[in-house]
């Protein structure tokens, strides 16, 4: 190891650190893309079960290889670019929809400090930055550009309407989402996601999880994340009965699939964010000194519950009307989020930060 | 004009959340209930004598088909799926088809050929699956259409039972009845099981 490092003009520790970063980032990124693949299967299976069906069960045992078959199909299908489409933007849009979701995963802390081969490699996150929430919200909002660009570049009225709706919806719900998150930030006194998670995990008591201090904020963030990821009951960007398929009407083959990878990755990120903010991140109940792999498993389990909730709600609730969506966004969610933040601030001003003597 | 009175929603219902929770609990319970999907190729459809599948030529117990190439089924076929070239034979029926093709891609499984046939030569089988690699392979010739009478017996008996309701004279035996006494005659005992048989029996003298 030291010899190779010397040839590259580095010390052994530097090379080890570089390799660790490479391995960690690759594993996390591939993991997220695989979550998207698995979620397509989960979505189809759960929807089938809820409708007394079996769901895909032909490819591999219990249909487990279905995402692979879907992927092969998408790659070999023809990319049809509609007449009059703005070609560069048309090709850029799917990437714009998927890349922000992959970028935001960078600040999610999946587990506490990883100890492997007798060495502490730091927390299991691509980037442990101090402005984690700020970064996540800023980059996360960019994913709406993909939807708007897709709507604009397709030269189709359905796509354009879908894109417009998506932008209006995102602006409305981003506000209440940020206000809901701010309440937690005020409690934690930090916008570093790792610190917020560590604060909840320190004693191992599940009652320390911020959900029990901010249940309303947790609920608001859940509803807002349905809207942010364009999921039922707020999927107005696609809204089949009115807009055919909305912003992705004119897309085919892998371009279409990338939109879905983006949607499911965004779901994964929103779930992970909710888990970090409200459900203690990697905290294992009653085990404050749990090793990092147990914490990682607990984190994945919590995220899975959230992802299941996304699918569950989609196949239960009918879609809102667009005016209802706007009414709920501005007249219910926003006042509630503001009140919650005010109440949190008042409590903090009166009684001081939690845990303070 | 109809005035629909809408139910006033209570506060709980207007909050959405409890109702949403109720809906979620319903879908969650449904996930574990029995599936109603039929796993088709492994669990085939139930087949009875009423199943009207692809037409087949019945091979009688002496190894021949009863067709005399009269062309009635060809004429009755609404989809022009049947093509018959007739020829002579030394058998007592004197004429037999030299070529009997049914284009299964055109066949609509209506069963008119079965009804039109005066010689009980063509019957609808219970075979419904139709898949092949070329159009030519789906034009069935005489060899592909032949089915032994034993395999079709249930359908033949069913068709005879239906037709015999309007028959005055006993049906001449179509199959060499080696399989036991399958009386196709409209005897009172067999017709008695049918609900409309008393009237059918009463009308017999007038019809005759």
């Amino acid at each position: 190891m030291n010899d190779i490092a010397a040839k590259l003009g580095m010390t052994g520790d530097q090379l080890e650190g570089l390799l660790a970063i490479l391995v960690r980032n690759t594993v996390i990124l591939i993991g997220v893309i695989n979550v998207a693949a698995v979620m397509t299967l989960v979505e189809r299976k759960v929807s089938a079960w809820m409708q007394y069906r079996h769901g895909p069960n032909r490819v591999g045992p219990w249909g487990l290889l279905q995402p692979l078959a879907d992927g092969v199909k998408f790659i070999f299908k023809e990319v049809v670019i509609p007449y009059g489409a703005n070609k560069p933007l048309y090709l850029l849009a799917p990437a714009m929809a998927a890349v922000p979701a992959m970028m935001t995963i960078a600040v999610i802390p999946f587990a506490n400090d990883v100890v492997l081969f007798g060495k502490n490699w730091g927390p299991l996150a691509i980037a442990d930055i101090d402005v984690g929430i700020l970064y996540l919200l800023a980059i996360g909002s960019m994913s709406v550009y993909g939807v708007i660009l897709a709507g604009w570049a397709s030269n189709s009225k359905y796509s354009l309407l879908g894109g417009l709706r998506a932008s209006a919806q995102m602006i409305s719900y981003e506000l209440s989402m940020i206000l809901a998150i701010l309440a937690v930030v005020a409690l934690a006194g930090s916008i570093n996601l790792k610190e917020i998670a560590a604060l909840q995990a320190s004693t191992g008591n599940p009652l320390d999880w911020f959900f029990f201090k901010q249940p309303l904020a947790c609920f608001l963030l859940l509803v807002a994340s349905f809207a942010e990821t364009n999921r039922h009951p707020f999927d107005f960007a696609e809204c089949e009965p009115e807009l055919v398929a909305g912003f992705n009407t004119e897309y085919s083959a892998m371009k279409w699939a990338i939109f879905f990878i983006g949607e499911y990755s965004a779901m994964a990120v929103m779930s992970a964010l909710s888990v970090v903010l409200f459900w203690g991140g990697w905290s294992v109940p009653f085990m404050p000194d749990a090793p990092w792999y147990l914490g990682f498993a607990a984190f994945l389990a919590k995220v899975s519950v959230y992802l299941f909730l996304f699918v569950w709600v989609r196949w239960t609730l009918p879609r809102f009307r667009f005016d209802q969506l706007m009414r709920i966004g501005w007249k219910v969610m926003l006042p509630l989020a503001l009140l919650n933040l005010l109440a949190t601030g008042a409590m903090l001003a009166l009684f001081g930060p939690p845990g303070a003597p | 004009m109809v005035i629909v009175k809408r139910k006033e929603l209570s506060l709980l219902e207007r909050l959405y959340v409890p109702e949403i929770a109720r809906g979620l609990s319903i879908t969650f319970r449904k996930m574990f209930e029995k599936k109603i999907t039929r796993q088709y190729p492994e669990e085939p459809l139930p087949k009875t004598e009423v199943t009207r599948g692809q037409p087949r030529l019945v091979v009688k117990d002496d190894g021949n088909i009863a067709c005399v190439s009269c062309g009635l089924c060809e004429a009755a076929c609404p989809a022009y799926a049947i093509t018959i070239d007739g020829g002579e034979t030394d058998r007592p029926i004197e004429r037999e088809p030299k070529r009997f093709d049914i284009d299964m891609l055109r066949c609509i499984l209506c069963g008119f050929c079965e009804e039109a046939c005066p010689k009980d030569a063509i019957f609808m089988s219970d075979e419904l699956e139709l898949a092949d690699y070329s159009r030519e392979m789906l034009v069935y010739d005489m060899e592909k259409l032949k089915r032994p009478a034993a395999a079709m017996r249930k359908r033949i008996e069913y068709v005879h039972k239906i037709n015999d309701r309007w028959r005055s004279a006993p049906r001449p035996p179509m199959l060499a009845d080696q399989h036991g006494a399958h009386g196709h005659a409209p005897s009172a005992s067999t017709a008695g099981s049918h609900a409309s048989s008393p009237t059918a029996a009463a009308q017999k003298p007038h019809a005759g």
Side-chain angles (χ1 to χ4, degrees):
Chain A
M1 199 69 157
N2 284 327
D3 297 345
I4 308 169
K7 275 184 195 157
L8 292 168
M10 286 186 281
T11 65
D13 279 352
Q14 278 175 330
L15 185 64
E16 267 183 15
L18 200 65
L19 281 178
I21 288 171
L22 269 179
V23 169
R24 190 178 60 199
N25 296 5
T26 315
V27 166
I28 290 177
L29 267 183
I30 291 179
V32 174
I33 294 173
N34 277 324
V35 164
V38 171
M39 278 311 290
T40 58
L41 181 67
V42 170
E43 180 100 58
R44 294 172 67 181
K45 273 284 184 191
V46 171
S47 69
W49 290 336
M50 284 176 179
Q51 298 163 357
Y52 305 122
R53 295 185 288 113
H54 290 284
N57 62 354
R58 297 282 149 173
V59 193
W62 306 291
L64 284 178
L65 299 179
Q66 186 70 38
L68 212 64
D70 286 344
V72 170
K73 188 193 82 172
F74 281 134
I75 286 168
F76 283 105
K77 279 181 89 167
E78 185 189 355
V79 178
V80 182
I81 298 180
Y83 177 78
N86 188 333
K87 213 168 164 184
L89 289 184
Y90 182 86
L91 297 177
L92 181 68
M96 284 293 292
V99 165
M102 312 256 164
M103 281 170 76
T104 45
I105 206 76
V107 289
I108 300 288
F110 291 95
N112 210 347
D113 291 5
V114 176
V115 182
L116 257 186
F117 313 118
K119 196 174 168 200
N120 188 338
W121 300 93
L124 185 56
I126 293 180
D128 174 25
I129 54 177
D130 281 338
V131 288
I133 289 179
L134 201 62
Y135 170 88
L136 197 144
L137 291 174
I139 303 291
S141 329
M142 275 171 60
S143 66
V144 72
Y145 280 109
V147 176
I148 297 174
L149 279 186
W152 174 254
S154 293
N155 190 28
S156 150
K157 50 186 172 298
Y158 297 123
S159 302
L160 185 57
L161 280 171
L164 286 176
R165 282 180 173 196
S167 53
Q169 176 183 334
M170 293 251 181
I171 290 166
S172 318
Y173 279 80
E174 199 116 280
L175 273 176
S176 24
M177 183 175 91
I178 291 171
L179 288 173
I181 292 175
L182 270 185
V184 175
V185 172
L187 264 186
S190 166
I191 54 172
N192 181 328
L193 282 167
K194 191 205 154 201
E195 276 174 25
I196 293 177
L199 210 61
Q200 303 170 66
S202 53
T203 59
N205 182 357
L207 288 177
D208 275 354
W209 296 353
F210 282 142
F211 172 77
F212 298 103
K213 289 168 186 152
Q214 293 283 350
L216 182 61
C218 181
F219 181 71
L220 289 174
L221 179 63
L222 178 68
V223 176
S225 54
F226 288 149
E228 281 290 303
T229 51
N230 281 321
R231 291 283 299 183
H232 262 262
F234 304 119
D235 67 334
F236 287 92
E238 18 204 319
C239 194
E240 304 92 42
E242 296 162 28
L243 298 179
V244 190
F247 64 95
N248 57 24
T249 308
E250 306 291 343
Y251 279 86
S252 56
M254 207 59 202
K255 300 269 167 232
W256 183 84
I258 288 173
F259 275 120
F260 275 77
I261 294 176
E263 180 182 322
Y264 287 116
S265 308
M267 270 165 63
V269 172
M270 291 308 289
S271 309
L273 178 68
S274 309
V275 166
V276 170
L277 289 180
F278 292 103
W279 301 98
W282 62 76
S283 151
V284 187
F286 311 115
M287 281 180 72
D289 300 318
W292 68 273
Y293 44 86
L294 265 186
F296 186 50
F299 187 87
L300 287 189
K302 291 171 192 173
V303 169
S304 311
V305 171
Y306 251 89
L307 286 174
F308 175 76
L309 189 66
F310 270 86
V311 175
W312 186 11
V313 165
R314 169 166 181 191
W315 293 101
T316 303
L317 298 184
R319 185 180 290 114
F320 280 91
R321 233 169 35 218
F322 195 67
D323 61 313
Q324 291 174 329
L325 167 95
M326 283 297 160
R327 200 173 64 209
I328 294 171
W330 289 104
K331 290 190 176 172
V332 180
M333 300 268 296
L334 190 61
L336 275 181
L338 270 173
L339 273 180
N340 186 49
L341 184 58
L342 271 177
T344 310
M347 294 293 272
L348 282 175
L350 287 177
F351 303 109
Chain B
M1 199 172 82
V2 181
I3 296 172
V4 181
K5 273 206 106 168
R6 302 223 179 267
K7 186 174 155 256
E8 279 287 312
L9 294 181
S10 68
L11 180 70
L12 265 185
E13 283 168 332
R14 272 184 288 139
L15 273 179
Y16 290 131
V17 181
E19 294 296 304
I20 286 175
R22 213 155 62 91
L24 286 174
S25 78
I26 289 173
T27 42
F28 193 77
R29 269 181 276 128
K30 297 294 171 195
M31 272 176 64
F32 305 102
E33 281 180 24
K34 195 172 168 292
K35 313 284 180 271
I36 57 168
T37 311
R38 182 188 295 280
Q39 298 282 318
Y40 167 61
E42 291 91 25
E43 289 176 53
L45 291 160
K47 285 169 178 172
T48 67
E49 65 269 26
V50 192
T51 307
R52 205 172 61 206
Q54 300 161 8
R56 290 285 183 268
L57 291 173
V58 170
V59 180
K60 294 188 296 181
D61 295 340
D62 61 1
N64 290 315
I65 57 174
C67 181
V68 292
S69 62
C70 66
L72 279 178
C73 54
E74 201 178 2
C77 183
Y80 306 109
I82 304 179
T83 315
I84 304 172
D85 285 342
E88 290 186 6
T89 176
D90 293 335
R91 288 191 290 137
I93 56 172
E94 291 181 5
R95 276 171 64 79
E96 66 174 13
K98 295 298 175 201
R99 170 185 169 212
F100 195 113
D101 288 353
I102 299 183
D103 188 343
M104 284 301 166
L105 292 174
R106 309 201 67 160
C107 178
I108 56 171
L109 315 182
C110 64
F112 282 9
C113 47
E114 180 187 61
E115 283 187 37
C117 186
K119 287 291 174 189
D120 282 346
I122 192 165
F123 280 95
M124 309 307 275
S125 68
D126 59 4
E127 285 162 53
L128 287 159
E129 276 142 20
L130 189 67
D132 223 321
Y133 291 100
S134 75
R135 289 167 182 277
E136 289 73 34
M137 287 160 104
L138 286 163
V139 179
Y140 283 12
D141 62 7
M142 207 154 30
E143 288 313 306
K144 272 190 178 170
L145 287 171
K146 277 178 179 171
R147 280 292 175 283
M152 309 270 289
R153 183 165 290 277
K154 267 172 86 180
R155 174 72 186 179
I156 295 170
E157 282 169 10
Y158 170 74
V159 172
H160 284 171
K161 198 179 95 189
I162 298 291
N163 292 349
D164 286 350
R165 284 188 297 174
W166 294 278
R167 198 179 183 92
S168 51
R171 170 181 291 278
M174 168 213 154
L175 306 160
D177 270 335
Q178 304 158 343
H179 301 276
H182 285 283
H184 299 304
S187 61
S189 59
T190 48
S193 61
H194 202 274
S196 65
S197 57
T199 48
Q203 282 166 0
K204 227 184 277 173
H206 309 289

